[in-house]
């Protein structure tokens, strides 16, 4: 009898035991779930004003509180406090204002404290979830302009030499374009040079400046003291003939709707393909040697007549009606049919092949972002990667691409931006605008720049006159 009455009692005890064990292990599990973690890379430097984005993640619940402090002896300074982030993952940019936080140069520690809203029986301790040793650097980088071209013009080029000490990055801005710079001279001189190209439509007053940034994000900026001299560009009208459309539209627009009028095809070529070629020129502009490969003045092919100029605005007429307006970015040079096309200066071939409206094209890199382009060729005699000498034949002139009649379309490019070839045909211009700022900076001259200018002065005391129609 007694044994029988014990059974339900044992069952109750067992159930109670199970409930206790269950609850304890449930509570233990709750307590064991890890809290908020930082998943982003560690910050290393704090500058005058440094923004670092912290990526946070929690496994259960949502992030309830975040606090970021900087400790540097004494009482830590709070850079950010944020409550109820509302998500289990967050990207939180934190701006550390060095002077406002009372930071001094030297070592410091960034501490991140964060918790989630997941319930745990015991409140987790208040230790930081992450701490990072960082270097506080409040000194802006040192940026000196060593030499710069005095006078620049739209559609023209200048040079700036500068020294940036203790910087991670520097950039030369010309309006909304960025001109790459290259180390120049001996390593002790710690100098860089950049060729700056002003597009033909450069807006007077747009910035021409160098900016530098150090590891801590401190920045310095200097305007380049170049004086802008205006330059006028010609206008022309071009009559679009049916015979031209019949010859060129099928050549340049391989795939087009069967019922598309030829004029419409022409407009696609003249607008879209022209834009594509511009983008391609910019891309190829990046494939440049980090030193000058050219020597002295650039050469114009012998016995050629200039019949179209740089940055000429062309209005296209069809049947007396205005149908398009585009800008012509080179010089058109004509002599005999299939005339030899010489390299304007020494360099390396960086492009050969069809380039939309330009037809068969060669681009030669002369280093530091300076390149020359030869278009409408009937034949190409060089390959990408070939080293070429000044005057070496690249191919023959022709009519490929959007060309009326056999001629060479010649362009000078700086970082892929078309500039007037006139400056580079003129040894004295090169001496005064490229050689002089290098001399002022105490940097080595570019080969042949002084000698070519002296030669030219000896030959003709007056400025050379370009042949024009
Ligand atoms: Zn042309």
């Amino acid at each position: 009898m007694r044994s029988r009455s014990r059974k339900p009692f044992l069952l109750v005890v067992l159930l109670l035991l199970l409930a206790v064990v269950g609850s304890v292990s449930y509570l233990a599990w709750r307590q064991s779930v890890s809290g908020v973690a930082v998943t982003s890379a560690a910050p290393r430097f704090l500058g005058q004003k440094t923004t670092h984005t912290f990526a946070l993640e929690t496994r259960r619940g949502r992030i309830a509180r975040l606090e970021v402090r900087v400790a540097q002896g004494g009482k830590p300074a709070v850079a950010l406090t944020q409550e109820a982030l509302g998500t289990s993952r967050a990207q939180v940019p934190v701006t550390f204002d060095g002077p406002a936080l009372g930071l001094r140069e030297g070592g410091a520690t960034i501490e991140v404290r964060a918790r989630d809203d997941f319930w745990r029986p015991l409140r987790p301790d208040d230790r930081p979830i992450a701490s990072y040793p960082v270097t506080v650097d409040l000194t802006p980088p040192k940026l000196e302009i060593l030499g710069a071209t005095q006078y620049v013009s739209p559609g023209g080029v200048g040079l700036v030499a500068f020294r940036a000490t203790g910087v991670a990055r520097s950039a030369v801005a010309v309006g909304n374009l960025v001109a790459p710079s290259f180390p120049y001279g001996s390593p002790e001189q710690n100098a860089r040079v950049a060729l700056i190209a002003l597009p033909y439509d450069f807006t007077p007053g747009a910035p021409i400046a160098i900016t530098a940034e150090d590891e801590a994000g401190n920045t310095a900026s200097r305007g380049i003291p170049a004086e802008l001299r205006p330059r006028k560009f010609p206008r022309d009208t071009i009559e679009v003939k049916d015979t031209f459309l019949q010859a060129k539209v099928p050549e340049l627009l391989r795939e087009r709707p069967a019922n598309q009028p030829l004029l419409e095809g022409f407009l696609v070529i003249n607008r879209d393909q022209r834009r594509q070629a511009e983008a391609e020129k910019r891309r190829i502009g990046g494939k440049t040697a980090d030193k000058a490969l050219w020597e002295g003045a650039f050469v114009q092919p012998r016995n050629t007549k200039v019949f179209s100029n740089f940055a000429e605005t062309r209005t296209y007429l069809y049947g007396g009606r205005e149908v398009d307006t585009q800008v012509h970015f080179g010089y058109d040079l004509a002599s005999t049919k299939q005339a030899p096309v010489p390299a304007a200066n020494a360099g390396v071939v960086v492009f050969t092949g069809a380039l939309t409206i330009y037809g068969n094209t060669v681009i030669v890199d002369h280093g530091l972002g300076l390149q020359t382009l030869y278009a409408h060729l009937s034949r190409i005699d060089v390959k990408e990667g070939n080293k070429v000498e000044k005057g070496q034949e690249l191919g023959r002139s022709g009519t490929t691409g959007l060309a009326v009649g056999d001629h060479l379309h010649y362009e000078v490019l700086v970082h892929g931006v078309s500039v007037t070839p006139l400056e580079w045909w003129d040894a004295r211009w090169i001496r005064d605008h490229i050689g002089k700022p290098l001399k002022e900076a105490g940097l080595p001259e570019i080969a042949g720049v002084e000698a070519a200018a002296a030669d030219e002065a000896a030959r003709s005391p007056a400025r050379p006159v370009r042949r024009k129609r």
Side-chain angles (χ1 to χ4, degrees):
M1 284 294 185
R2 275 173 77 184
S3 63
R4 203 180 269 176
S5 65
R6 245 185 196 168
K7 267 186 185 163
F9 173 74
L10 276 174
L11 202 68
V12 167
V13 169
L14 203 67
L15 281 171
L16 269 172
L17 211 64
L18 271 173
V20 168
V21 168
S23 307
V24 167
S25 50
Y26 173 69
L27 292 174
W29 168 76
R30 277 223 163 234
Q31 189 66 33
S32 75
V33 168
S34 56
V36 183
V38 185
T39 56
S40 48
R44 289 169 50 226
F45 290 95
L46 289 183
Q48 289 274 351
K49 203 166 222 165
T50 306
T51 300
H52 185 84
T53 299
F54 292 89
L56 304 162
E57 203 177 305
T58 192
R59 295 178 63 185
R60 303 268 165 175
R62 292 163 300 185
I63 302 165
R65 187 166 202 279
L66 167 69
E67 189 177 281
V68 180
R69 302 178 185 179
V70 186
Q72 196 179 38
K75 198 169 168 269
V78 177
L80 174 113
T81 316
Q82 204 172 326
E83 308 282 346
L85 279 72
T87 51
S88 60
R89 282 161 183 246
Q91 299 267 347
V92 185
V94 180
T95 300
F96 300 89
D97 187 324
L101 293 171
L103 300 181
R104 305 177 309 276
E105 297 218 313
T109 307
I110 294 178
E111 295 174 357
V112 181
R113 287 175 158 77
R115 58 180 158 79
D116 55 33
D117 61 4
F118 185 70
W119 182 82
R120 294 174 186 82
L122 300 170
R123 201 188 151 91
D125 62 40
D126 196 33
R127 275 183 306 190
I129 59 161
S131 21
Y132 308 98
V134 290
T135 304
V136 178
D137 170 7
L138 304 174
T139 313
K142 209 171 145 205
L143 185 56
E144 300 160 80
I145 292 180
L146 306 173
T149 303
Q150 198 178 352
Y151 300 107
V152 292
S153 295
V157 180
L159 178 142
V160 62
F162 63 99
R163 182 178 296 130
T165 313
V167 306
R169 286 164 290 279
S170 63
V172 181
V174 184
N176 52 9
L177 300 170
V178 173
S181 66
F182 302 89
Y184 195 91
S186 65
E188 305 85 69
Q189 286 176 302
N190 186 27
R192 298 184 76 83
V193 300
L195 288 177
I196 50 177
L198 277 64
Y200 82 100
D201 58 353
F202 181 80
T203 317
I208 309 180
I210 310 174
T211 55
E213 192 180 4
D214 66 16
E215 290 276 21
N218 299 308
T219 59
S221 174
R222 297 275 178 282
I224 297 168
E227 206 176 296
L228 188 69
R229 292 210 158 151
R231 186 181 264 157
K232 275 207 152 54
F233 299 107
R235 303 188 75 90
D236 201 5
T237 47
I238 288 186
E239 191 78 45
V240 182
K241 303 244 167 63
D242 278 323
T243 44
F244 176 69
L245 295 182
Q246 281 151 14
K248 287 296 164 185
V249 174
E251 175 194 322
L252 290 163
L253 214 55
R254 296 265 164 77
E255 281 169 43
R256 57 192 203 95
N259 56 353
Q260 184 190 55
L262 281 170
L263 179 69
E264 242 171 70
F266 167 76
L267 293 176
V268 169
I269 296 164
N270 211 30
R271 292 168 185 171
D272 301 358
Q273 290 198 6
R274 194 178 287 273
R275 211 168 26 242
Q276 278 168 29
E278 282 305 299
E280 195 61 3
K281 278 156 60 180
R282 296 291 167 97
R283 190 186 67 77
I284 297 162
K287 298 206 296 187
T288 190
D290 61 1
K291 58 176 191 293
L293 306 174
W294 88 86
E295 261 184 44
F298 285 56
V299 295
Q300 182 180 342
R302 278 169 195 279
N303 307 318
T304 50
K305 201 174 147 192
V306 175
F307 72 96
S308 189
N309 290 284
F310 170 74
E312 178 180 278
T313 298
R314 292 172 162 179
T315 302
Y316 294 83
L317 300 176
Y318 181 75
R321 192 165 59 89
E322 215 174 277
V323 291
D324 205 4
T325 303
Q326 296 294 340
V327 177
H328 179 253
F329 283 124
Y331 260 64
D332 287 345
L333 305 167
S335 57
T336 51
K337 279 186 179 171
Q338 302 191 6
V341 171
N345 214 320
V348 173
V349 176
V350 284
F351 179 87
T352 61
L355 182 62
T356 72
I357 56 161
Y358 288 99
N360 293 331
T361 302
V362 172
I363 299 179
V364 177
D365 175 52
H366 306 288
L368 305 179
L370 179 61
Q371 299 181 334
T372 48
L373 174 149
Y374 311 79
H376 307 318
L377 305 182
S378 57
R379 208 179 79 196
I380 294 177
D381 294 329
V382 286
K383 286 193 180 71
E384 224 182 285
N386 283 172
K387 262 178 86 171
V388 293
E389 296 301 321
K390 190 190 288 194
Q392 184 179 328
E393 192 175 318
L394 301 172
R396 294 294 175 113
S397 69
T399 58
T400 57
L402 213 53
V404 191
D406 188 302
H407 73 277
L408 167 68
H409 171 99
Y410 173 71
E411 287 187 24
V412 177
L413 303 161
V414 171
H415 317 306
V417 176
S418 300
V419 292
T420 180
L422 273 182
E423 296 180 340
W424 298 91
W425 277 332
D426 180 348
R428 277 184 285 181
W429 180 90
I430 299 176
R431 181 193 62 196
D432 296 344
H433 296 77
I434 305 297
K436 201 174 154 205
L438 286 173
K439 213 174 192 175
E440 279 172 11
L443 294 169
E445 76 157 311
I446 288 169
V449 164
E450 291 292 329
D455 270 10
E456 193 175 276
R459 275 203 314 274
S460 60
R463 278 181 87 80
V465 177
R466 298 288 157 205
R467 282 154 295 191
K468 268 178 84 176
R469 181 174 59 172

